[in-house]
Amino acid sequence: MRVMRFYPQAWPLRTPFVIARGERTEARVVVVDIEQDGLHGIGECTPYPRYGETEASVIGQINSVLHGIEQGISRDVLLQLLPAGAARNAIDSALWDLERQAAGQTLAEYAGVALPTRIATAQTLSIDEPQTMAEATRRCWSNRCRRSTTRRCSILSIRCRFARMRVVIPVTNWRRYRAVMK
């Protein structure tokens, strides 16, 4: 029999994340831990208000399928019980983790896929004083970045051994920013 636990957590950010809509110093997540036969499958999610999600609504959705998960329903059944969103993502991730552990495989092996040789990701630099943003950009450039620009921001592509990262710099005063970068 399975036992499912779920709880909210606050994960502190290394540095504050600042964009036009505000500042964040922590990531609020909901963690799902499904235990079966001594194994723990862990999944987590971030409720997004822009999709009508709150910590409370996600916990409510997870709670609504608690009995079914503990009775052993499959991931396929879960797809029918919950809409796409944070709650289903956290439970689905925990079930994948539990299943792959029971099979004694990595997630890639269990899913039958090869690990990618390159991973594309994005990072948004926080809005700050131009000098501070310029220094953050210089740190990226030291990692062999490439830059392309759009009307509203500069996008830096960092080439690493296994990953390609896009750093999005929100620039409200592009001319002033360019002057600092010279």
Side-chain angles (χ1 to χ4, degrees), residues 45-66:
C45 65
T46 302
Y48 282 101
R50 69 190 285 180
Y51 300 122
E53 297 173 334
T54 64
E55 230 174 61
S57 72
V58 168
I59 288 173
Q61 283 184 313
I62 293 170
N63 195 46
S64 75
V65 296
L66 174 64

Side-chain angles (χ1 to χ4, degrees), residues 16-123:
F17 178 69
V18 182
I19 58 173
R21 291 186 302 265
E23 177 183 52
R24 295 177 75 186
T25 58
E26 63 185 15
R28 301 287 307 171
V29 300
V30 176
V31 178
V32 172
D33 177 350
I34 303 173
E35 180 183 1
Q36 183 175 345
D37 300 326
L39 302 174
H40 288 265
I42 307 293
E44 39 81 13
C45 65
T46 302
Y48 282 101
R50 69 190 285 180
Y51 300 122
E53 297 173 334
T54 64
E55 230 174 61
S57 72
V58 168
I59 288 173
Q61 283 184 313
I62 293 170
N63 195 46
S64 75
V65 296
L66 174 64
H67 181 72
I69 295 296
E70 292 189 335
Q71 293 304 309
I73 66 167
S74 68
R75 286 182 291 106
D76 289 332
V77 173
L78 176 66
L79 296 177
Q80 306 304 313
L81 296 178
L82 287 179
R88 189 170 86 185
N89 177 74
I91 297 169
D92 189 50
S93 296
L95 288 171
W96 272 98
D97 189 31
L98 186 66
E99 291 169 18
R100 68 104 195 146
Q101 287 180 56
Q105 297 177 314
T106 66
L107 184 57
E109 291 167 342
Y110 186 70
V113 298
L115 288 175
T117 57
R118 292 178 60 121
I119 300 170
T121 187
Q123 177 179 339

Side-chain angles (χ1 to χ4, degrees), residues 72-175:
I73 66 167
S74 68
R75 286 182 291 106
D76 289 332
V77 173
L78 176 66
L79 296 177
Q80 306 304 313
L81 296 178
L82 287 179
R88 189 170 86 185
N89 177 74
I91 297 169
D92 189 50
S93 296
L95 288 171
W96 272 98
D97 189 31
L98 186 66
E99 291 169 18
R100 68 104 195 146
Q101 287 180 56
Q105 297 177 314
T106 66
L107 184 57
E109 291 167 342
Y110 186 70
V113 298
L115 288 175
T117 57
R118 292 178 60 121
I119 300 170
T121 187
Q123 177 179 339
T124 302
L125 298 179
S126 292
I127 295 173
D128 208 324
E129 292 298 317
Q131 291 81 5
T132 305
M133 292 179 70
E135 182 54 39
T137 304
R138 284 187 192 97
R139 283 193 303 273
C140 290
W141 280 113
S142 69
N143 290 322
R144 295 188 310 243
C145 300
R146 290 180 302 142
R147 184 184 79 193
S148 62
T149 58
T150 65
R151 287 183 62 186
R152 296 192 172 175
C153 64
S154 174
I155 299 172
L156 304 176
S157 294
I158 300 173
R159 289 186 168 206
C160 300
R161 182 172 172 206
F162 297 108
R164 183 175 48 115
M165 179 188 297
R166 292 182 58 191
V167 181
V168 180
I169 305 170
V171 179
T172 55
N173 188 337
W174 182 245
R175 285 189 191 124

